[in-house]
Amino acid sequence: MEDNGTHHPISSFFLVGIPGLQEFHCWIGIPVFLLFALTLLGNSIIIATVKLEPSLHQPMYFFLCMLAVNDMALSSSTAPKMLSIFWFNDHRVGFNICLTQMYFIHTLCIIESALLLAMAFDRYVAICIPLHYTTILTTSKIIKMGLVGVSRAILMVLPCPLLIKRLPYYTNYIINHAYCEHMAVVKLANANTLINRAYGISVALSVMILDLGLIATSYIKILQAVFRLSSQNARSKALGTCAAHVCTILVSYTPALFSFLTHRIGKKVPPSVHIIFASLYLLVPPTVNPLVYGIKTKQIRDRVVGLFFPNKKISEH
C-alpha cells in the first residue's frame, strides 16, 4: 500500500457502465443504439421539415429546430461512449476527455432547459397577447434569446471541470456510471469537495427553480387566458398547441429530478436503478421530442406525411 498522504494524479478513469448488470451490457446496448439512431433520424426530419416548409418559418418552429440540434448534440455526447462500453468493453476514458464530456453534457442540459423556457414564453405570447406576437418575437429577439441561453450554460458549467482539475486523486479511478457525470467524478477525489458539491447543487437548483418557475408561471397565465375564451373549439385549439410542449417538459425534467435527488438523498436506491435513470435522462427526451412534436403539431405532421407519402391527401383539420 502506498502512503495515503501522497497524491496520485491519474491519467484516465474506468467507466463501469451499469453496476451489477455487466453481464447484460451487450443487450442493454441494443436499446441505447436504437434510441441514438431514432434521435438522429427524428430530429433531422424535424429540422429538414421546418427548413423546407415556408409556413413553418415562425418563432415556435425556430425554437423547435434549436431544440432538435441541441438534442442531437446531447445524445452524441453520451451514446457513442456508452455503446463502446456495452459492446466493446472499452471502459477507459482519458482524464481530460472525461471532463470534456462532463462539461458538454451539463452545458447541453442547461441549454435544453433554456429552450423549453423560451418555448413556454412563445406559447404565452401567442395565446395571451397574440396581437403583439410578431413585434415581441422578432428574428433578432429569437437570436438574442438563443445566445443568452447558450452563454448562461457555458459560463455556469465552466467552473465545474476547473474546480475538479484542482483536486488531488488517490488510486481510485473507477466511476460507477455509464458516462462522466459531475458528482460521480467529484466523489473520487480524496480532498475536501465541499466547494465542488456546493457549486454543483447551486447550479442545478438555480436552473431548475428559475426555469421551472417561469415555465409554470407562463402556463398558469395561459390557462387563465384559455378559460376566459367563450368558444369550446378555441379553448381546445389553444390547449392543443401547448400539449406537445407540456409532454416535452415532463419527459425532460422528471428523470433529471430523480437523478439529481438520488445523488444527494437517495442512498437506498440501487446503483443500477440510479444509473439507468440517469442514462434515460440523456437518451429518452432527445428521442421523444421529435415524435411528440411530429404527432401533436399538425403543420409538421402534415409536412412529414407529404414528404414520405406524396400521394397521400394531407388533412385539412
Side-chain angles (χ1 to χ4, degrees), residues 229-240:
L229 297 173
S230 57
S231 167
Q232 175 65 39
N233 184 49
R235 284 200 295 268
S236 299
K237 188 175 180 180
L239 290 173

Side-chain angles (χ1 to χ4, degrees), residues 239-310:
L239 290 173
T241 61
C242 300
H245 188 223
V246 171
C247 290
T248 300
I249 291 168
L250 292 174
V251 169
S252 297
Y253 280 108
T254 304
L257 191 59
F258 177 86
S259 179
F260 173 78
L261 292 174
T262 302
H263 254 312
R264 275 82 187 173
I265 59 176
K267 304 299 182 184
K268 294 183 179 180
V269 177
S272 58
V273 174
H274 174 212
I275 305 308
I276 288 171
F277 264 87
S279 301
L280 290 176
Y281 156 51
L282 299 181
L283 295 172
V284 172
T287 307
V288 171
N289 288 347
L291 294 175
V292 168
Y293 280 98
I295 293 169
K296 288 287 185 181
T297 309
K298 178 185 177 297
Q299 294 93 323
I300 292 178
R301 183 175 68 244
D302 289 349
R303 241 353 84 194
V304 172
V305 169
L307 185 66
F308 288 98
F309 305 99

Side-chain angles (χ1 to χ4, degrees), residues 10 12-19 22 85 91-95 98-99 101-102 169 172-188 263 275:
I10 56 176
S12 65
F13 291 112
F14 184 93
L15 287 166
V16 172
I18 300 180
Q22 285 91 331
I85 293 170
H91 294 269
R92 288 280 179 178
V93 58
F95 181 82
C98 183
L99 293 190
Q101 185 194 45
M102 182 196 75
Y169 287 81
N172 185 10
Y173 58 91
I174 298 172
I175 301 176
N176 287 308
H177 219 299
Y179 58 87
C180 293
E181 197 270 343
H182 178 249
M183 284 303 300
V185 176
V186 167
K187 285 177 180 178
L188 298 181
H263 254 312
I275 305 308

Side-chain angles (χ1 to χ4, degrees), residues 15 19 38 61 69 73 104 108 117 144 163 192 222 235 245:
L15 287 166
L38 285 172
Y61 302 108
V69 171
F104 277 105
L108 292 167
L117 174 58
K144 286 176 183 176
L163 287 170
N192 185 342
I222 287 170
R235 284 200 295 268
H245 188 223

Side-chain angles (χ1 to χ4, degrees), residues 184-207:
V185 176
V186 167
K187 285 177 180 178
L188 298 181
N190 75 321
N192 185 342
T193 59
L194 178 62
I195 295 175
N196 300 70
R197 292 168 184 267
Y199 186 76
I201 196 169
S202 65
V203 168
L205 284 176
S206 62
V207 170

Side-chain angles (χ1 to χ4, degrees), residues 28-106:
I28 294 171
I30 296 173
V32 171
F33 173 78
L34 291 174
L35 287 171
F36 183 45
L38 285 172
T39 294
L40 297 180
L41 177 63
N43 286 290
S44 296
I45 290 173
I46 291 288
I47 293 168
T49 302
V50 172
K51 183 178 179 181
L52 295 172
E53 178 52 48
S55 67
L56 298 179
H57 293 176
Q58 302 172 27
M60 174 184 173
Y61 302 108
F62 292 149
F63 287 129
L64 182 54
C65 283
M66 293 180 196
L67 186 67
V69 171
N70 192 74
D71 281 343
M72 288 194 290
L74 181 58
S75 190
S76 298
S77 68
T78 52
K81 184 57 186 177
M82 284 184 186
L83 291 173
S84 70
I85 293 170
F86 297 150
W87 283 352
F88 306 109
N89 288 320
D90 179 21
H91 294 269
R92 288 280 179 178
V93 58
F95 181 82
N96 289 325
I97 293 174
C98 183
L99 293 190
T100 301
Q101 185 194 45
M102 182 196 75
Y103 177 76
F104 277 105
I105 287 172
H106 292 294

